[in-house]
Amino acid sequence: MREVFKYTFTTIAEWKKLLLVILTVSILTVIEAFPVISIVAFLFEKLIYLSIGAFLIFLVTRSKDIESYFDNLKRNSFSTFLFHFIPTASGILVALLIILTFWIMFFVLILQFTNTMYIIADPHQIIVSVENSPVLTQILLGFYSIYLMFYSYVFLGKFGEALSQETFRGAFLSMISSLIDFKYWINTFNLKYFVIYLVWSIIISVIYTLIGFTYLFVIFPAIVNNPNLGLIIIPILVGITTILTYYTFFSAYFAHLSTEA
């Protein structure tokens, strides 16, 4: 667990690259406000983050200790830092889109099979609708929920495995296999993986919840009254997101390593 924080803070210590990432992503965030090119900017932002993640994990695997890792991190150019692992990032991103589609379609197919599509007619009453649905629907949705719950636990390690790949194919297959690689699922049931996952999920949940409430009740009203504040607030939020993303990369990788022990 300590190595996760050690590598995270060491990566942050290379502040020049951190600031350049914040600047780059902040520009993309502003571009995302424009309807026509927003989706392109959004996807490019995710590709950059994933490429950075793959590069950081590559450095971890090629460095004998934390000092050599930091030296290698400083030595590489910013362009390499951002774009060298775009193939890996592309494989992960495509796989994530397919996985998201799978979970949506799986849910819809259950409702179609049981003739209960009315459940999603009113999202505000979905829990009540499920409670009043036929027994078969409740059983299948229960299976779906359990499957999704276990998958969310395994996902972190599989994400780390994908980040350690150096090709589109390797990263893509690592992510896609997360849906059916039950042997890997079993390997995640070890204490180290559980601790990494638990700490990661708590930290991410708490911080993003605080950010969400702060944005809704403090930041957004302030920006409405003074739009120029966005020029200050966006880089701050991007900076927090970037640090948490670094932390997620290392949590995922070291969680994955625990499955190979």
Side-chain angles (χ1 to χ4, degrees), residues 186-204:
I186 294 173
N187 291 338
T188 62
F189 291 101
N190 64 76
L191 182 60
K192 185 174 182 179
Y193 187 102
F194 176 76
V195 171
I196 292 175
Y197 174 81
L198 181 64
V199 174
W200 170 79
S201 59
I202 291 174
I203 290 176
I204 294 297

Side-chain angles (χ1 to χ4, degrees), residues 105-121:
M105 293 304 298
F106 191 8
F107 181 73
V108 171
L109 286 173
I110 290 175
L111 299 186
Q112 287 184 335
F113 177 73
T114 56
N115 294 318
T116 52
M117 287 295 292
Y118 62 84
I119 286 178
I120 57 176

